[in-house]
Amino acid sequence: MSQTYDPDVTPGGPWSTRELTGLIIRKMSVSEMHNNVYLLTCRTSGAQLLIDAADEAERIRDLVAVGGSGLDHLVTTHQHWDHVRALVEVTKDLSPETHAGEDDASSLPQLPDHRLRHGDRIAFGDAVLDVVHLRGHTPGSVALAYDDPDGHVHLFSGDSLFPGGVGNTKMAGQSFQALFADVTQRVFDVYDDDTWVYPGHGSDTTLGTERPHLDEWRERGW
């Protein structure tokens, strides 16, 4: 694994690269909202998957070009506007298969090719991502888990889990109780402390760092 990976990327700045045995992870920040965009490249096949075409389509195209010759899949973690501003343009330019949670799909600027449910899997080359449906931030939010055969799980959590707590649940239609229950039962109860979490904004964390604070999150209600 590369030891040069820096989880603290900034809008307009360079992306950061993490090299695993079978997968290369590139993380880039875009827009005034500091959205994270992730490009995953299978090392054996060169197949590529993008997580959240949030904004700045030109920079996303540059990121994809660094990884390889094209984009095979594009996954939208949830329907919120700041995560989909470049979705239509990137899809038009690069023609990936598109994926989103079943309960968010109809609210996207374009309908996805595949509607994801909890327990689904997305394969690109030799890499496989497990789909984790996390309700509460939006009805169809999904996280994606890559189980590194030579390491630990890498979890791309969208806006459902961050350093210091779960995602925002203060807007109409959101539910802290639902999100906390799903994050507890479908993430913390399933994956171990070494699991690395890549959120939709800001820096990374691990489940081991966050696990001792679950009771605190429950009591404060956010």
Side-chain angles (χ1 to χ4, degrees):
M1 182 184 299
S2 171
Q3 299 302 313
T4 61
Y5 173 72
D6 182 356
D8 298 314
V9 292
T10 57
W15 51 76
S16 189
T17 303
R18 187 169 199 175
E19 298 187 15
L20 312 179
T21 302
L23 190 72
I24 299 174
I25 301 169
R26 293 178 175 89
K27 177 180 181 179
M28 181 173 73
S29 180
V30 299
S31 86
E32 73 286 354
M33 299 288 289
H34 291 233
N35 291 83
N36 292 326
V37 175
Y38 298 96
L39 179 71
L40 312 185
T41 306
C42 173
R43 295 180 72 104
T44 54
S45 69
Q48 299 200 107
L49 179 146
L50 188 83
I51 300 173
D52 283 348
D55 203 1
E56 302 180 33
E58 183 174 354
R59 291 186 66 215
I60 290 176
R61 289 193 295 269
D62 290 342
L63 179 66
V64 170
V66 167
S69 60
L71 185 64
D72 301 278
H73 299 271
L74 194 167
V75 182
T76 300
T77 60
H78 63 291
Q79 64 177 272
H80 284 160
W81 68 275
D82 59 310
H83 289 260
V84 300
R85 286 169 287 179
L87 175 61
V88 173
E89 187 173 350
V90 170
T91 301
K92 179 180 178 182
D93 290 346
L94 300 177
S95 302
E97 293 185 43
T98 55
H99 310 251
E102 182 175 44
D103 294 329
D104 276 13
S106 297
S107 297
L108 300 181
Q110 65 179 39
L111 295 178
D113 299 316
H114 305 281
R115 296 176 179 235
L116 302 173
R117 297 181 179 182
H118 183 68
D120 284 349
R121 309 188 90 193
I122 303 171
F124 56 109
D126 293 332
V128 178
L129 300 178
D130 293 310
V131 175
V132 185
H133 182 198
L134 300 172
R135 299 156 290 192
H137 182 68
T138 68
S141 289
V142 294
L144 303 166
Y146 172 72
D147 190 356
D148 181 4
D150 295 319
H152 50 76
V153 172
H154 297 257
L155 182 73
F156 301 88
S157 60
D159 281 4
S160 292
L161 178 61
F162 293 94
V166 298
N168 179 42
T169 56
K170 297 184 182 301
M171 296 188 295
Q174 296 181 323
S175 169
F176 170 78
Q177 288 75 19
L179 182 55
F180 183 81
D182 273 2
V183 165
T184 300
Q185 297 165 11
R186 296 183 173 186
V187 175
F188 284 94
D189 288 353
V190 174
Y191 302 109
D192 63 25
D193 284 353
D194 290 335
T195 299
W196 195 277
V197 179
Y198 304 82
H201 305 262
S203 193
D204 304 350
T205 188
T206 66
L207 293 190
T209 299
E210 307 304 328
R211 193 183 303 275
H213 305 288
L214 287 174
D215 288 342
E216 173 191 339
W217 300 356
R218 181 190 294 109
E219 290 172 5
R220 75 189 186 192
W222 56 272

